[in-house]
Amino acid sequence: MDEKLFNPSLLYDLDFSTTSCTFKPTLGPKEPGEGLVMRPLERSDYAKGFLNLLSQLTKVGSVDGEQFVEQFERMKKSSNHYVVVIEDVIRSRIVASATLLVEYKFIHGAAMRGRIEDLVVSDRMRGKQLGKLLVETLLKLAVKLGCYKLSLDADDQVKSFYEKFGFRDGATLFMQLRFFD
Ligand SMILES: CC(C)(COP(=O)(O)OP(=O)(O)OC[C@H]1O[C@@H](n2cnc3c(N)ncnc32)[C@H](O)[C@@H]1OP(=O)(O)O)[C@@H](O)C(=O)NCCC(=O)NCCS
């Protein structure tokens, strides 16, 4: 068994008897579709094309296997990164992924805030409800972990996708300062 970023039972114990959006046919973390498995990121996922998948979302740049493992270890140690992947187990390829990042706060009674990051479904696998399944899973995981709020950055093109789950425009202005691309 390869080393996992977090305990997989956190995913498989989620209650999918009710969902924020509609699934037709029904999907869940234990049954994401034929030939597919949903699980936490593993140490060896570099070899299964995890970074190639991320390059369909944004620029990944040059990251070798050693750097990947170092970053994996940092995430595991921090214990607030929940990188969820869907693997095509026939081809041994990672075909979809999304991350729940949990911030520990002093405000709101020392609560936790969740952020969805880096959602991407491989172009050949889009339209099979995998994007919805990942967001629904992270939403339920955020509730289970005790987050008081879940937020994300999205452009206008995917706004209607996130609205299916109940996400709405926030009242605050998103600002950023980029140090490099
Ligand atoms: C956006 C993305 C994750 C959707 O994944 P997917 O697996 O193809 O989506 P699903 O099959 O789960 O889509 C389900 C629903 O969302 C809708 N949808 C899919 N992609 C959409 C998009 N880009 N914008 C708006 N709605 C979208 C579908 O029409 C479908 O609607 P329905 O349930 O009412 O029939 C995928 O297109 C992707 O990886 N895009 C590139 C990366 C990206 O933009 N990531 C989001 C960053 S914020």
Side-chain angles (χ1 to χ4, degrees):
M1 267 296 184
D2 196 8
E3 188 187 343
K4 292 180 167 49
L5 190 61
F6 61 92
N7 184 345
S9 65
L10 279 172
L11 300 177
Y12 306 137
D13 291 349
L14 294 171
D15 179 6
F16 264 67
S17 59
T18 58
T19 52
S20 313
C21 67
T22 320
F23 288 93
K24 269 192 203 154
T26 311
L27 297 183
K30 285 188 214 153
E31 52 271 324
E34 210 183 320
L36 302 175
V37 168
M38 180 189 277
R39 57 168 173 78
L41 183 72
E42 292 178 357
R43 212 171 189 273
S44 61
D45 281 338
Y46 183 85
K48 293 185 177 177
F50 178 63
L51 297 185
N52 296 338
L53 171 71
L54 288 186
S55 71
Q56 292 185 29
L57 173 70
T58 190
K59 183 181 163 188
V60 174
S62 146
V63 177
D64 63 25
E66 207 175 306
Q67 287 171 294
F68 177 84
V69 168
E70 280 169 12
Q71 205 71 306
F72 178 93
E73 297 298 346
R74 280 189 203 107
M75 286 183 183
K76 186 156 184 171
K77 211 168 159 192
S78 73
S79 72
N80 62 347
H81 286 74
Y82 299 85
V83 184
V84 179
V85 301
I86 297 177
E87 179 183 352
D88 173 337
V89 286
I90 295 156
R91 295 183 176 82
S92 290
R93 302 305 285 173
I94 305 302
V95 295
S97 180
T99 297
L100 171 67
L101 180 63
V102 172
E103 283 175 43
Y104 298 98
K105 300 286 206 181
F106 289 112
I107 56 174
H108 299 287
M112 289 151 71
R113 171 189 179 162
R115 291 179 191 272
I116 291 182
E117 296 281 346
D118 303 340
L119 167 68
V120 59
V121 175
S122 163
D123 44 14
R124 72 175 180 87
M125 295 298 281
R126 289 183 193 162
K128 297 176 186 291
Q129 307 191 100
L130 299 182
K132 279 198 308 194
L133 177 59
L134 281 166
V135 173
E136 187 78 39
T137 300
L138 296 191
L139 199 155
K140 288 185 183 298
L141 182 57
V143 172
K144 182 173 175 170
L145 293 171
C147 293
Y148 80 99
K149 173 164 114 174
L150 183 60
S151 57
L152 54 89
D153 300 333
D155 56 30
D156 277 346
Q157 284 172 327
V158 285
K159 197 175 157 197
S160 63
F161 171 77
Y162 287 114
E163 283 172 346
K164 292 180 194 302
F165 306 87
F167 286 95
R168 296 290 175 263
D169 286 350
T172 52
L173 174 69
F174 170 70
M175 297 176 78
Q176 62 174 334
L177 178 61
R178 285 189 94 100
F179 296 109
F180 57 85
D181 279 327

